[in-house]
């Protein structure tokens, strides 16, 4: 009798918490700290291969990953679905997780929307793809759909970092860089003219043709002025704005009524109010404006997705693989495409491992995806890979190499881990830096962060 064929066995799972530097990016939640954190999963198998995955940072996610080790080590790389099933069976929901998700962008809840096991899925698929000699996107959904994946230029307002006392929170200074984008991204950018400069620098460096402006910072009218200036400068660009639900429905309708032909679609313009869920309010916003609506806030799991679709509340679902899994995100693209809806990807600050993972998931997504979000342009230069996938002409090329198609730079990973260990806190806190700009500032999900 012949023995069943064996695929390589995972001999070791290592979880490496890492950190990198960020700009003083402004959002409804406040001001980004000078650093951001992530967790890496590094798997080794008995064929001498290494698989990697990257996911959100913080102690909670790190502890969840460490607890999974006994379920991963000793398993064959081909059994990744079984391993994930086991993790799901045995995982206890966090006692503090109300299941509410991030309808009000309360970032303390993001860690429950992010599912740490998807970093394990990524690393196992990386190994399995390497074993089979095929890129990860060929293992997802209906296989590889495209060789290049369109990304958008993610524009942020940026505050003046010198307002934060030196020695308290030290932001990176790149004023001596020879790269115009690297210099600009660490400077203050708070006016429509500066937002246009930001887009110009991004077009020049990465060739983006589409842009998203992160709103929820200034008064809605001022942000719309920036959007108009962008459209004037880039008439062919698809432009959207995402205030993360900061506006009331009445405000959102008033702000958007004259924006047809300028804005391509709206992302989470309003959220829950007056006892109605964000899904119901977005449906009413669509009725009133006829704008297409994208979300990463009201559909973050399959149950929320059911209600979003039942109400026809959104047209574009930004299926972050860290929320939905890689298999889940691509499955979502199949559903959306067959219903005439659109798929995209949401992001948070990340390293280039996630950029490579977005390339794989974007390559496998069925239909015509919206250009994918990425924060990586704010981190470019702090890469953890030997060869970082490049964004050229606004697109990231899917590596031909098998699996995720990447190779870790171990020294850079060690450095990023050293930075992580030197930080006062590992969880995202956008209020701390904000309080230097506006003393006593507290989060209010219905008020842009600089409007108090
Ligand atoms: O980086 O602060 C940020 C963003 O505001 C992020 O937290 C959002 O989740 O980019 C995200 C979005 O599209 O809503
Ligand atoms: Mg969003």
């Amino acid at each position: 009798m012949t023995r069943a064929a064996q695929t390589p066995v995972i001999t070791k799972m290592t979880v490496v918490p890492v950190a990198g530097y960020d700009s003083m990016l402004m959002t409804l939640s406040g001001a980004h700290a000078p650093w951001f954190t992530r967790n890496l999963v590094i798997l080794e198998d008995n064929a001498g291969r290494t698989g990697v995955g990257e996911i959100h940072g913080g102690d909670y996610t790190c502890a969840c990953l460490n607890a999974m080790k006994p379920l991963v080590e000793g398993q064959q790389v081909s059994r990744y679905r079984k391993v994930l099933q086991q993790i799901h069976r045995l995982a206890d929901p966090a006692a503090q997780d109300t299941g509410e998700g991030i309808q009000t962008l309360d970032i303390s809840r993001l860690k429950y929307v992010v599912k740490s096991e998807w970093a394990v899925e990524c690393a196992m698929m990386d190994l399995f793809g390497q074993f089979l000699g095929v890129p990860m996107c060929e293992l997802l959904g209906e296989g590889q759909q495209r060789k290049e994946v369109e990304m958008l230029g993610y524009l942020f307002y940026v505050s003046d970092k010198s307002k934060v006392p030196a020695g308290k929170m030290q932001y990176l200074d790149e004023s001596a860089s020879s790269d115009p984008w690297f210099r600009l991204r660490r400077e203050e950018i708070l006016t429509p003219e500066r937002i246009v400069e930001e887009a110009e620098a991004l077009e020049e460096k990465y060739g983006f043709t589409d842009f998203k402006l992160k709103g929820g910072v200034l008064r809605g009218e001022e942000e719309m002025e920036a959007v108009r200036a962008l459209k004037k400068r880039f008439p062919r660009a698809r432009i959207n704005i995402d205030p993360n639900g900061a506006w009331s429905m009445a405000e959102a309708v008033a702000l958007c009524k004259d924006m047809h032909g300028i804005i391509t679609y709206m992302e989470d313009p309003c959220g829950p109010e007056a006892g109605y869920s964000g899904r119901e309010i977005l449906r009413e916003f669509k009725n009133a404006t006829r704008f297409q609506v994208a979300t990463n806030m009201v559909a973050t799991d399959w149950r929320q997705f059911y209600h979003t679709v039942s109400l026809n509340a959104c047209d574009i679902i930004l299926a972050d693989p860290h929320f939905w899994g890689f298999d889940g995100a691509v499955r979502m693209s199949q559903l959306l495409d067959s219903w005439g809806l659109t798929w995209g990807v949401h992001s948070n600050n990340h390293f280039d491992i996630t950029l490579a993972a977005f390339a794989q998931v974007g390559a496998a997504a069925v239909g015509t995806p919206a250009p994918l979000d990425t924060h990586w342009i704010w981190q470019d230069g702090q890469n953890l890979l030997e060869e970082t996938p490049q964004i050229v002409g606004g697109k990231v090329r899917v590596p031909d190499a098998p699996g995720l198609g990447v190779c870790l730079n171990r020294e850079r990973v060690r450095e990023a881990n050293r930075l992580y260990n030197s930080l006062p806190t590992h969880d995202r806190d956008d209020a701390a830096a904000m309080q230097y700009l506006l003393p006593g500032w507290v989060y209010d999900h219905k008020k842009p962060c600089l409007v108090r």
Side-chain angles (χ1 to χ4, degrees):
M1 199 166 70
T2 50
R3 277 182 60 216
Q6 288 270 320
T7 55
V9 168
I10 295 167
T11 50
K12 192 170 177 203
M13 168 170 165
T14 314
V15 180
V16 188
V18 287
Y21 293 100
D22 199 9
S23 297
M24 198 170 183
L25 300 181
M26 306 303 291
T27 80
L28 181 65
S29 350
H32 283 203
W35 52 79
F36 68 100
T37 61
R38 302 287 281 177
N39 281 294
L40 307 185
V41 168
I42 305 178
L43 300 180
E44 289 160 54
D45 71 16
N46 62 355
R49 299 190 183 99
T50 301
V52 290
E54 175 190 338
I55 199 148
H56 293 65
D59 297 330
Y60 173 79
T61 302
C62 190
C64 291
L65 285 168
N66 276 312
M68 288 167 200
K69 282 181 183 172
L71 301 175
V72 177
E73 288 174 347
Q75 299 297 325
Q76 283 189 58
V77 299
S78 54
R79 317 290 306 267
Y80 60 94
R81 289 182 200 272
K82 185 144 184 99
V83 168
L84 292 166
Q85 238 182 62
Q86 278 293 97
I87 292 173
H88 289 141
R89 276 210 191 111
L90 297 175
D92 289 325
Q96 301 86 339
D97 180 9
T98 58
E100 190 191 315
I102 46 168
Q103 273 202 74
T104 57
L105 197 74
D106 177 346
I107 53 169
S108 64
R109 297 216 177 99
L110 183 62
K111 57 177 176 276
Y112 306 126
V113 169
V114 166
K115 302 279 183 285
S116 42
E117 61 271 25
W118 304 135
V120 173
E121 181 194 22
C122 183
M124 285 194 79
M125 290 191 82
D126 183 9
L127 285 176
F128 192 37
Q130 290 180 55
F131 169 76
L132 294 173
V134 297
M136 189 168 146
C137 55
E138 289 197 27
L139 301 175
L140 290 164
E142 297 167 33
Q144 183 160 11
Q145 308 291 306
R146 55 192 69 77
K147 284 187 180 316
E148 291 180 320
V149 176
E150 267 193 294
M151 314 295 286
L152 53 72
Y154 200 160
L155 306 170
F156 279 84
Y157 289 105
V158 186
S159 273
D160 176 5
K161 60 184 182 309
S162 70
K163 298 212 168 108
V164 178
K168 290 283 181 196
M169 299 176 93
Q170 196 70 56
Y171 286 89
L172 204 61
D173 183 76
E174 291 190 288
S175 52
S177 171
S178 58
D179 185 310
W181 164 243
F182 286 8
R183 284 198 303 276
L184 184 72
R185 68 185 175 175
R186 309 299 179 208
E187 294 173 3
E188 184 181 70
I189 303 173
L190 286 175
T191 62
E193 297 72 30
R194 293 287 278 162
I195 288 289
V196 169
E197 265 183 65
E198 189 181 318
E200 285 173 342
L202 288 178
E203 184 205 32
E204 176 67 27
K205 185 161 173 76
Y206 304 104
F208 291 119
T209 50
D210 301 307
F211 298 99
K212 156 173 167 174
L213 175 63
K214 173 54 59 177
V217 178
L218 305 171
R219 285 184 314 109
E221 293 77 8
E222 290 177 78
E223 295 186 349
M224 285 308 194
E225 224 184 286
V227 169
R228 278 195 204 91
L230 279 169
K231 189 66 180 178
K232 194 162 170 217
R233 172 64 186 77
F234 298 98
R236 283 201 295 274
R238 284 176 283 183
I239 296 172
N240 81 76
I241 173 167
D242 173 16
N244 283 117
W247 305 331
S248 67
M249 192 181 70
E251 244 179 313
V253 170
L255 286 168
C256 292
K257 70 177 186 326
D258 299 328
M259 297 303 278
H260 285 280
I262 300 173
I263 287 174
T264 307
Y265 60 86
M266 286 299 306
E267 184 171 327
D268 289 309
C270 27
E273 66 183 51
Y276 294 93
S277 78
R279 291 170 279 276
E280 290 162 326
I281 295 295
L282 288 175
R283 174 67 248 185
E284 291 186 23
F285 169 83
K286 263 165 56 95
N287 290 347
T289 63
R290 303 284 156 200
F291 259 108
Q292 292 224 321
V293 169
T295 191
N296 60 273
M297 294 174 73
V298 303
T300 63
D301 62 27
W302 294 106
R303 184 175 169 194
Q304 294 173 9
F305 178 61
Y306 167 74
H307 292 289
T308 306
V309 170
S310 305
L311 283 170
N312 197 6
C314 297
D315 309 277
I316 303 169
I317 308 289
L318 303 170
D320 189 332
H322 305 109
F323 298 2
W324 299 88
F326 288 82
D327 187 57
V330 174
R331 199 173 341 132
M332 159 88 68
S333 77
Q334 294 168 308
L335 291 176
L336 293 174
D337 186 51
S338 59
W339 299 336
L341 299 174
T342 304
W343 180 92
V345 161
H346 154 268
S347 84
N348 288 110
N349 288 104
H350 62 88
F351 285 105
D352 47 344
I353 302 164
T354 289
L355 181 65
F358 279 11
Q360 297 290 346
V361 86
V366 169
T368 310
L372 274 55
D373 286 17
T374 175
H375 281 59
W376 172 79
I377 51 175
W378 296 91
Q379 270 68 62
D380 185 5
Q382 308 174 54
N383 299 317
L384 301 182
L385 297 175
E386 292 293 354
E387 280 179 45
T388 295
Q390 295 301 305
I391 301 178
V392 179
K395 295 179 178 147
V396 62
R397 227 194 126 66
V398 186
D400 293 322
L404 195 54
V406 303
C407 176
L408 276 183
N409 179 323
R410 300 280 181 165
E411 188 39 46
R412 291 277 186 92
V413 170
R414 273 192 288 277
E415 261 173 52
N417 174 249
R418 277 194 287 273
L419 176 62
Y420 180 91
N421 289 328
S422 73
L423 296 180
T425 161
H426 300 143
D427 292 321
R428 184 170 156 188
D429 175 6
D430 290 11
M434 196 63 216
Q435 281 156 358
Y436 291 108
L437 299 178
L438 297 178
W441 185 91
V442 283
Y443 178 64
D444 180 339
H445 78 100
K446 287 322 263 179
K447 278 200 185 135
C449 71
L450 286 173
V451 178
R452 287 292 184 274

